[in-house]
Amino acid sequence: GTIMGVGKYLKERRENLRVVLADPHKSNLAGIFETARGDVHRGNAILERVQNHIEEEGGGIQVEGAGKRELTKIMKMDDQVLKYVDEAVAIHDFDAFDACREIERRYGFRIGGSAGLNVCACRRIAERCVDEEGRGGGAVLVTMLCDDGNKYKSKIFNDKWMEANDPRGRRKWQRCPGRGE
């Protein structure tokens, strides 16, 4: 709901603004979005990749409050799928968690998983903007750090939980200093 409300508000005030959905890698929203926008091949490929992730890693979406298996009512506003969204970017849940832990290490405050998704998506868009030619004056990127990470201290900020649950098979994340129960 947040992306629809914020997207509507901002687009009513600035036409050329682009809204990007940061979607967990086991969520169907990015695939549904692409299919609804007419790129059925890409949408189906994303949905197949989601199913493969679920089969390989087991379980569902780890980022609480983000991603969906199907559209909610507000996501079908005026009979359009994700009307105020211009792009959907799939992010691995544990990449989002890594971003949360990095923000804490570098800046000293905790963000939750959905904010970690947004950070990762924003970084991906920033990298693409740098790579694109003809950008002229550049781009202004804004993201929302929409949830407090303190409620995830037994999950995202717990070294043992991360080690036991990270399906990527590598220790990309770094230990949180002074933590680890």
Side-chain angles (χ1 to χ4, degrees):
T2 302
I3 196 163
M4 294 298 288
V6 172
K8 179 180 188 295
Y9 178 86
L10 292 173
K11 283 184 169 280
E12 287 173 346
R13 285 151 182 79
R14 187 158 190 170
E15 277 181 31
N16 63 347
L17 178 105
R18 293 184 47 80
V19 175
V20 178
L21 168 68
D23 198 32
H25 75 295
K26 292 183 191 175
S27 167
N28 286 336
L29 292 181
I32 293 169
F33 173 82
E34 292 295 340
T35 300
R37 293 299 194 273
D39 195 341
V40 175
H41 177 73
R42 180 171 165 75
N44 287 338
I46 292 169
L47 293 173
E48 183 177 324
R49 194 166 46 243
V50 167
Q51 190 57 43
N52 290 340
H53 285 303
I54 292 169
E55 289 171 10
E56 292 169 9
E57 298 175 8
I61 299 165
Q62 291 284 340
V63 176
E64 296 173 35
K68 300 279 183 259
R69 299 292 297 154
E70 56 191 47
L71 296 172
T72 63
K73 185 178 178 180
I74 195 168
M75 293 176 184
K76 297 182 251 182
M77 190 175 287
D78 298 331
D79 293 324
Q80 290 184 352
V81 172
L82 296 167
K83 179 178 181 176
Y84 300 106
V85 175
D86 299 296
E87 181 179 351
V89 176
I91 304 292
H92 195 288
D93 293 355
F94 281 80
D95 288 340
F97 296 161
D98 289 340
C100 295
R101 294 166 68 95
E102 178 190 351
I103 295 292
E104 182 184 36
R105 274 193 314 278
R106 291 181 73 185
Y107 304 107
F109 62 94
R110 286 183 172 173
I111 59 173
S114 57
L117 283 172
N118 291 348
V119 168
C120 289
C122 194
R123 286 177 175 165
R124 191 172 297 165
I125 300 299
E127 290 168 1
R128 190 170 64 212
C129 288
V130 168
D131 291 341
E132 288 178 1
E133 292 186 37
R135 257 259 185 251
V140 175
L141 304 178
V142 177
T143 193
M144 290 182 60
L145 303 182
C146 45
D147 59 345
D148 175 33
N150 287 320
K151 59 189 169 207
Y152 305 108
K153 66 182 175 182
S154 65
K155 185 176 177 179
I156 299 170
F157 299 98
N158 182 299
D159 294 334
K160 287 182 181 177
W161 186 90
M162 288 287 289
E163 186 173 357
N165 291 283
D166 188 343
R168 297 173 296 178
R170 63 192 198 289
R171 300 294 189 279
K172 180 180 175 188
W173 56 274
Q174 295 178 16
R175 296 197 173 280
C176 288
R179 310 220 190 292
E181 292 165 24

